[in-house]
Amino acid sequence: MALDAKIPHGEMDKKWTDYKGHVKLVNPANKRKLEVIVVGTGLAGASAAASLGELGYKVKAFCFQDSPRRAHSIAAQGGINAAKNYQNDGDSVFRLFYDTVKGGDYRAREANVHRLAEVSTAIIDQCVAQGVPFAREYGGLLSNRSFGGTQVQRTFYAAGQTGQQLLLGAYSALERQVALGNVKMYTRHEMLDVVKIDDKARGIIARDLVSGELESHFGHAVLLCSGGYGNVFYLSTNAMGSNVTAAWKAHKKGAFFGNPCFTQIHPTCIPVSGDHQSKLTLMSESLRNDGRIWVPLKKGDNRNPKDIPENERDYYLERRYPAFGNLVPRDVASRAAKERCDEGYGVGTTKMAVYLDYKDAIVRYGKIEAGKSGKDNFSHEEIVALGKKVVEEKYGNLFEMYEKITGENPYETPMRIYPAVHYTMGGLWVDYELQTTVKGLYALGEANFSDHGANRLGASALMQGLADGYFVIPYTLGNYLADEIHTTSISTDHPAFAETKKAVADRLNTLINIKGTQTVESFHKRLGKIIWDKCGMARNEQGLKQAIEEVRALKKEFWSDVRIPGEVNAFNLELDKAGRVADLIELGELMCLDALDRNESCGGHFREESQTEDGEAKRDDVNYAYVAAWENKGESSWELHKEALNFEIVKPTQRSYK
């Protein structure tokens, strides 16, 4: 089938305005008759459920946590982008649009990105009105800081806990609708399948994770806001519960999966310390704002970093990319760190780390503070003490977190960081209206293949989640539901619900009756190692072909030798986890197939066969300027559909941050 992205006609900066002006509407009385299911209550889900409830739809919201406040959106640290130009440094909607398309290495759909840049300014106003405590300047104006891939300051933040504060804002809006009776909240429920009737999504099968009971729920439309699949790598910065199940079930029911191999590698994470770890910890990209990244000039230099003089340090990002320095995009910074470590310049016990140093920033801020006093006889120690106070105010909770995890004081000793899996740009393919290839089934936020192309710029995840939920879906969903006002609620006794429910129950019974010898965790760990080693930051044809065979063998072994204790119809965390890992294994195979098919380097995806003479990533716009949308054709079988990317405004060039 040909993929129709439904991009409106007309000039880029007028498309969204024109779309809103001509879209079909549902009148208030009819909205009350229409039911919408929202799966996931992170930023995208909570904002969508709150907005649709406010509009008058009957909304059912599902999350597998005990409260929407536990959604993984809470973990976002650094900030949220918006083209407000409060700093008067040349920012604009166009510049945010341009930076995002370029930062994504020209693999994003221009129309979606432009819309995202347009609504970004409204997100900030919405959140301020909700009482989100954004950082402010001394005079009371909202503060901004720099993030990678840009030369302006456009990132709004709340210390190092921006995601938490934004989620609390969306949660407040959601709970207000719950209290008014417009939204019914189902916590500790996991969606295990989509129900289709006459080729339209008409509901879901969910498992009550406390009782183990399976439930059927009808909806005129289903919105998947279930986040990303970074945990396919086992070790990632994602919460351990994050998974691909909701999106994968939709994929098996006909929703195409877009760009599955596009993964965001975050350059500033606390390095792996050993085999005992189950997740990694992110150190916000905002730290690259003031910190300087370096390695010793000498290979295998084991001295204390404080004993290595300036002339024996290699500030490699500043050396290689002078125009952007430490603020190159995430994929560039990540690959550069890997290259230094692979060459033998890494630091720490594992030698898979580089330094992030705040010494210069502390002195710089200290001098500014000293200058404010009017005195000029400050000692170096006094200047450092003043500077530490400023850094603590801006980044204190991040420094505290680092010290608790590593036992080292980052005010005194440089932090050690290394890239880690963070965000997934791949996800369910959606059109301009955020609708998947299944009618009535939508994907929002990180669950869709998104607006980020092959690499997401920092501080854009929160922006996309809230844009989709607050400002896009309230318009685009109405366009579909306007034709559904004659569809009365379908009883969950309908055969389609019964069949789907039985299939879900059969799978759970199959899992629990395998009664093998190996734990779910051990399979997950092995899957992660295959995917990270062979489909991670660097990949090649031979490695990917091996990975596909290894994942297929792992799948076979999983379904014959996994051990799940406990009962089916009861509280059973191991069974929940087994279902998720089974889906991640299948996704892992598709990721490697997608990576094998894409014989180019783009974003954080370094295909060793495709590089420039000086070792930089080499894109192939002639053959790969498309979104890869995979259709599931059954066991280990997929068909590739291509959505050609046409660039009207931002012409693809070889990216340079030099």
Side-chain angles (χ1 to χ4, degrees), residues 28 87 140 245 281 506 607 628 656:
Q87 303 299 323
T245 289
T281 304
D506 289 349
R607 188 69 186 260
S656 172

Side-chain angles (χ1 to χ4, degrees), residues 1 36 97 156 165 173 256 270 272 420 439 472 556 577 614 628 650:
M1 64 179 271
V36 180
F97 157 69
F156 294 78
Q165 299 304 332
F256 292 5
I270 298 178
V272 176
K439 283 182 188 156
V472 178
K556 209 169 164 186
K577 193 159 67 173
D614 55 354
V650 186

Side-chain angles (χ1 to χ4, degrees), residues 235-393:
L235 284 181
S236 81
T237 64
N238 289 196
M240 287 173 66
S242 298
N243 63 81
V244 76
T245 289
W248 196 250
K249 300 307 185 197
H251 174 55
K252 302 276 282 257
K253 279 285 168 80
F256 292 5
F257 211 100
N259 296 336
C261 81
F262 281 174
T263 309
Q264 168 95 83
I265 310 287
H266 199 296
T268 48
C269 296
I270 298 178
V272 176
S273 58
D275 273 349
H276 57 280
Q277 264 180 287
S278 52
K279 82 176 293 295
L280 296 171
T281 304
L282 174 69
M283 289 278 92
S284 167
E285 181 170 320
S286 60
L287 293 171
R288 289 202 279 146
N289 210 6
D290 286 314
R292 296 179 74 195
I293 293 170
W294 63 277
V295 291
L297 269 177
K298 208 166 64 188
K299 284 186 183 183
D301 193 332
N302 290 323
R303 286 179 291 174
N304 186 312
K306 288 188 281 192
D307 298 334
I308 300 176
E310 278 294 307
N311 61 355
E312 292 180 38
R313 298 178 174 194
D314 176 16
Y315 293 95
Y316 59 88
L317 289 177
E318 296 169 36
R319 167 173 59 80
R320 284 176 64 176
Y321 309 103
F324 281 72
N326 293 297
L327 286 172
V328 289
R330 291 177 174 180
D331 58 323
V332 179
S334 296
R335 216 169 33 250
K338 181 180 188 294
E339 183 272 333
R340 287 291 78 191
C341 292
D342 288 350
E343 289 296 314
Y345 295 95
V347 300
T349 48
T350 61
K351 298 296 179 197
M352 294 307 273
V354 299
Y355 289 125
L356 175 64
D357 198 334
Y358 257 72
K359 186 184 70 175
D360 290 356
I362 287 170
V363 171
R364 186 176 76 247
Y365 282 127
K367 283 179 177 171
I368 293 168
E369 291 303 299
K372 289 178 185 174
S373 72
K375 294 189 293 185
D376 54 5
N377 57 345
F378 280 87
S379 68
H380 179 72
E381 287 69 28
E382 288 173 313
I383 285 171
V384 166
L386 288 168
K388 278 182 184 171
K389 272 187 188 163
V390 177
V391 169
E392 186 178 357
E393 204 174 289

Side-chain angles (χ1 to χ4, degrees), residues 491-505:
S491 165
T492 51
D493 294 333
H494 188 285
F497 278 97
E499 280 168 34
T500 312
K501 192 174 183 178
K502 184 182 181 304
V504 171

Side-chain angles (χ1 to χ4, degrees), residues 588-603:
E589 183 182 347
L590 181 59
M591 285 174 74
C592 295
L593 282 168
D594 186 44
L596 181 63
D597 189 74
R598 191 171 281 277
N599 193 8
E600 66 164 350
S601 295
C602 64

